[in-house]
Amino acid sequence: DVQIVATFKCFNLNPQKLESLLHTFFGSSCLNLDIFDNNKKRHTPREWFIAPFFVVENAIELIIAGKITNYKYDPENEVIIKK
């Protein structure tokens, strides 16, 4: 089950570019998971990332400020670091 813990309104952002930024930024922490449907067909979702909520909030702040490309996510230490 999934629980929504927050929603964010984004204005004046291209949705595809925003999604691409998030995938690039959190790509190293993508949840590695295979799901099999009723027909035993395998699905490998790439929309779920493992990151603490405060890191997600910080990433959103960096996106809004236009600075996210200067930073990267370190999943091992669960911190955002400057490149």
Side-chain angles (χ1 to χ4, degrees), residues 10-38:
C10 299
F11 300 96
N12 299 322
L13 292 172
N14 178 307
Q16 289 81 16
K17 287 183 181 179
L18 175 60
E19 183 177 12
S20 179
L21 277 173
L22 291 170
H23 275 265
T24 299
F25 192 76
F26 288 111
S28 61
S29 66
C30 188
L31 180 63
N32 187 9
L33 177 71
D34 290 331
I35 298 172
F36 294 87
D37 64 21
N38 291 337

Side-chain angles (χ1 to χ4, degrees), residues 34-82:
D34 290 331
I35 298 172
F36 294 87
D37 64 21
N38 291 337
N39 297 319
K40 299 186 180 179
K41 181 178 177 185
R42 185 178 77 173
H43 302 273
T44 307
R46 293 291 175 237
E47 298 296 322
W48 299 97
F49 302 95
I50 301 169
F53 185 69
F54 75 90
V55 169
V56 174
E57 289 181 308
N58 288 342
I60 291 168
E61 291 171 10
L62 289 170
I63 289 170
I64 291 169
K67 297 180 179 181
I68 194 146
T69 57
N70 299 326
Y71 294 84
K72 67 179 185 175
Y73 176 53
D74 175 1
E76 185 174 317
N77 296 304
E78 297 184 327
V79 295
I80 294 175
I81 56 175
K82 192 164 179 123

